Amino acid sequence: MKSLVCRWALLCFASLVGAAELPPLDLGGVREEHLWVRMRDGVRLSAYVYFPAGAGPWPVVFEQRYAVITGTESRRELASIARAGFVAARVSFRGAQVSEGVWQGYRALGWGELRDGYDLCEWFATQPWSTGKVGTFGGSQGGFAQNFLAVTRSPHLVCQYMTDTGLSLFQEGYRIGGITRPERFKKMDEVARNPADNRALLAEWFRHPTYDAYWRDEDCSRHFRAMNVPCFTVGSWYDFMSVGSLDSFVGRQHHGGSLSRGRQQLLLGPWLHGGLPKSNRIGELEYPENARFDTQAHMLRWFAHYLQGVDNGIEKEAPVRYYVMGAVGEPGAPGNEWRTAPDWPIPAKEVPYYLQAGGHLETTRPHATRSSTTYLSDPLHPMEIPGTSFPGARDARKFEQQAEVRTFTTAPLTEPVEWTGKIRAELYVGSTARDTDFIVRVSDVYPDGRSILIVDYVRRARYRDGWTTENFLEPDRVYRVAFDVGSLSQVFNRGHCIRVTVASTGAPFIEPNPQTGAPLTLDFPAQTVTATNTLFHQRGQASHIVAPVVTR
């Protein structure tokens, strides 16, 4: 055994470190080892690797993460994967946790001079205990990492399994809707092996306020043609990152390489970001038991087929499965069922819902020649959305009832209405500030008054004409601000109302915009501007959302 370990080290540029530093844990016969894996520039990444009992060789599955990979649940999860006949591993990003090198987020994972994902994949494939077939898994950060790896076309990468994933760090990671989130990412000091590296990275981001070559180097959506493996993608309706899951599926399915096109599968359920297995208890709601999904059991079937050659039929299953959400706690309510589709999006009719005077929301255009709603946006006294995670599947009335928040609500529905697909907002606005934000939310209002939040998004006004330029506002002018709010599949039941909420602040979830129009900075500036923002709902300038209405 000693000679075999030495041979692994010589062949693979890895040095073994015993796992004794971790607390003892019964892993059911699985062997746990800590390996240092050397990248092309000599930097070593920290990997925890779990081996099945027996002699092997085995296929390998791994995940890349910046978060801690040594927790008890992580170790047990990887051990259970190993017991299914795979070498299972998690690897810390460069410069994260104890991995060597400079912390630089995802930049070392892609297609530049450093290709850590590619190097890891090839390293795992060429070990004496490996069959040479490699798969990857993971969600959120581990999903982004898989898209980066897929672009590099590692020759031994056979398949992938992504949950709640993303494609572009500018649009879906660091700059959601164009806003900046310095306080959120200052906390990444805790992830970086050297916290100073994180502050240097943040400063670098702020030197690139628009979508330029710097950000294009972290945008996987520009490289679907290079992606060339089958991938199962899981998305969650109560997750702003569902856009990444949806776009990853569509891009790979239609624009990927020959081994990618037509070989993708997508699952969309009524869940929040992260959390495995996917539960039927979400936020303040409890869906029927059919909303549960055992992610790991399904993932093992996926890997068994593609990496072990098991003929289990998984590749023949429907390309798209999606959960149509309905009212909970209402027996006989429509929805709360799984459906299949050959592709995404499914056919739907785009129906405008217009913001109207008096807080009404209607499908008929406003006729008034002059009609508007105003509110204040004060960065020093923002409205409150607690936490840093999307508060979906929860009652949103605490936010909606705050002073500088405006709601627009339909009359109670006389028949159920299904929306399945993407919601878009088209606002006609004015502001006394040079820059401001616009938050749009959509909720299902129950007869008892609860306003259950389904989707929301934000757009910084300076980016209303696109991400490559900053165009500031002038007083006494009306501007069109259009953006995607998010995707859903929801049946609004009879007697319920549909609500659109608009505001410009919602801290700490959305970090405030100083609104001066000055360059955005890592530290919040001393100078800010309080704005009066105006939503127009009048003839020719009718603010509205566009809903994907499905009739059956």
Side-chain angles (χ1 to χ4, degrees), residues 44-346:
R44 299 181 307 163
L45 304 188
S46 170
Y48 281 84
V49 186
Y50 298 76
F51 297 89
W58 307 277
V60 181
V61 296
F62 75 96
E63 179 184 18
Q64 296 170 270
R65 296 188 70 79
Y66 55 71
V68 173
I69 61 174
T70 54
T72 298
E73 290 308 311
S74 175
R75 296 166 69 194
R76 286 177 173 159
E77 178 191 357
L78 293 183
S80 68
I81 295 172
R83 286 194 293 273
F86 304 93
V87 174
R90 279 197 170 102
V91 186
S92 293
F93 284 18
R94 175 182 294 253
Q97 307 301 332
V98 298
S99 281
E100 296 176 350
V102 175
W103 162 251
Q104 50 189 287
Y106 297 84
R107 297 192 74 81
L109 303 185
W111 46 90
E113 291 184 9
L114 299 176
R115 299 190 175 195
D116 289 354
Y118 180 102
D119 292 351
L120 284 167
C121 193
E122 292 306 287
W123 184 85
F124 282 120
T126 54
Q127 301 314 293
W129 34 259
S130 171
T131 63
K133 292 186 175 182
V134 179
T136 58
F137 66 96
S140 193
Q141 59 196 264
F144 267 113
Q146 290 186 79
N147 272 324
F148 276 80
L149 170 60
V151 175
T152 67
R153 299 192 76 151
S154 169
H156 290 94
L157 180 64
V158 176
C159 63
Q160 297 183 304
Y161 198 102
M162 299 192 296
T163 59
D164 300 332
T165 190
L167 287 161
S168 171
L169 270 300
F170 185 90
Q171 285 93 347
E172 301 163 41
Y174 308 136
R175 301 293 299 275
I176 306 299
I179 66 170
T180 56
R181 302 192 290 165
E183 298 308 313
R184 160 72 173 83
F185 287 104
K186 286 177 183 178
K187 295 178 181 178
M188 297 296 284
D189 290 358
E190 301 169 6
V191 166
R193 179 172 179 165
N194 177 8
D197 292 344
N198 187 53
R199 294 307 173 100
L201 179 62
L202 297 183
E204 189 171 81
W205 295 349
F206 278 88
R207 290 194 291 271
H208 297 273
T210 60
Y211 180 77
D212 57 10
Y214 177 88
W215 294 111
R216 288 194 293 273
D217 285 343
E218 290 192 320
D219 184 356
C220 301
S221 70
R222 303 175 63 246
H223 302 281
F224 285 124
R225 288 185 178 86
M227 300 184 187
N228 199 35
V229 295
C231 180
F232 193 92
T233 301
V234 179
S236 304
W237 289 133
Y238 294 110
D239 178 17
F240 78 90
M241 280 185 65
S242 65
V243 62
S245 298
L246 288 163
D247 289 353
S248 290
F249 167 80
V250 172
R252 289 170 177 247
Q253 183 79 336
H254 294 283
H255 307 292
S258 60
L259 299 179
S260 174
R261 291 192 305 275
R263 301 181 71 186
Q264 308 296 305
Q265 290 185 25
L266 174 67
L267 183 83
L268 298 159
W271 309 305
L272 290 161
H273 184 78
L276 300 177
K278 295 292 191 178
S279 173
N280 65 317
R281 295 183 178 182
I282 306 298
E284 297 171 354
L285 304 182
E286 183 172 350
Y287 285 95
E289 288 290 321
N290 68 349
R292 292 180 180 272
F293 184 73
D294 190 337
T295 318
Q296 181 167 306
H298 184 269
M299 181 179 74
L300 290 176
R301 287 186 63 221
W302 186 261
F303 286 153
H305 174 73
Y306 284 104
L307 300 177
Q308 295 174 331
V310 176
D311 185 11
N312 56 22
I314 198 168
E315 81 285 4
K316 300 174 185 176
E317 294 177 358
V320 177
R321 283 173 282 171
Y322 64 100
Y323 194 89
V324 184
M325 301 181 292
V328 301
E330 297 181 8
N336 296 327
E337 62 183 11
W338 288 99
R339 295 183 191 157
T340 62
D343 204 355
W344 193 266
I346 68 165

